[in-house]
Amino acid sequence: MPLETLWVYLAARPLFWLTLTLLVWLGARRLQAWCGGLALLNPVVLSIATLIGLLVLTDTPYAQYFDGAQFIHFLLGPATVALAIPLYRLRAELHVLALSITVALVVGAVVAVVSAVGLAAALGADRAVLLSLAPKSVTTPVAMGIAEKLGGIPALTAALVVLTGLVGALFGVGVLRRLGIRDPAVIGVALGTAAHGIGTARAFQLGHREGAMAGLAMGLSAVLTALLLPLLPRGLALLGM
């Protein structure tokens, strides 16, 4: 069978793209381990880049790819719920750190919104872009819902959320260590607050405590941001934007 004929046949099978996604992910993890755990070779970043390249090179519509990858998408729900398990194991530590974590989450959520919107406004971005940019540090489904309610562009928000997570996963740990921060709880909360799910995945690579704290921060920062951001349009209006 000619290679192009075989490719057309395989590409039409939903499980082909699911299998390919898993193989790409495993290959990315193996490459990072082979290179000594280099942060720049983050498996999530490598997998996304590789799969995008394959879709472009093969001229495969995203909808066709998603027919197979939707099984992984479905597992996002159970995986998110499963984050409660490491949190339960750290319940005693969470009780002690409750006030510190709460303050960190409030400050982190506010800074994430104000810094992004303020910088974009200074560069001349219009109102729709500002409203789309505001929830960039929140996990994608929540961020898109917030952007839609505020009058932003959900598709733009989704892209910004993924970009934020990738940057956080690539450089977050390095920045924290440069600042002399070594505490697992602090690292986890920082990654979860600033880089949502992708940052949480990076935190779990570092250790159990980092991952648990990142998962907690990701969930609570999403709730906090959803409560605070409805005030943003009024604030922009007062500033004449």
Side-chain angles (χ1 to χ4, degrees), residues 107-123 130 133-134 136-137:
V107 173
V110 172
V111 169
V113 174
V114 172
S115 60
V117 173
L119 180 59
L123 294 174
L130 296 179
L133 185 61
K136 66 169 181 59
S137 293

Side-chain angles (χ1 to χ4, degrees), residues 151-179:
I153 308 168
L156 176 59
T157 298
L160 293 169
V161 168
V162 173
L163 181 60
T164 299
L166 293 178
V167 172
L170 286 174
F171 304 109
V173 176
V175 170
L176 291 171
R177 287 176 176 169
R178 289 278 184 177
L179 295 173

Side-chain angles (χ1 to χ4, degrees), residues 126-135 146-147 150-153 157 232-233 236:
D126 61 29
R127 181 184 176 88
V129 172
L130 296 179
L131 295 174
S132 303
L133 185 61
I146 293 174
L150 295 180
I153 308 168
T157 298
L232 181 60
L236 293 177

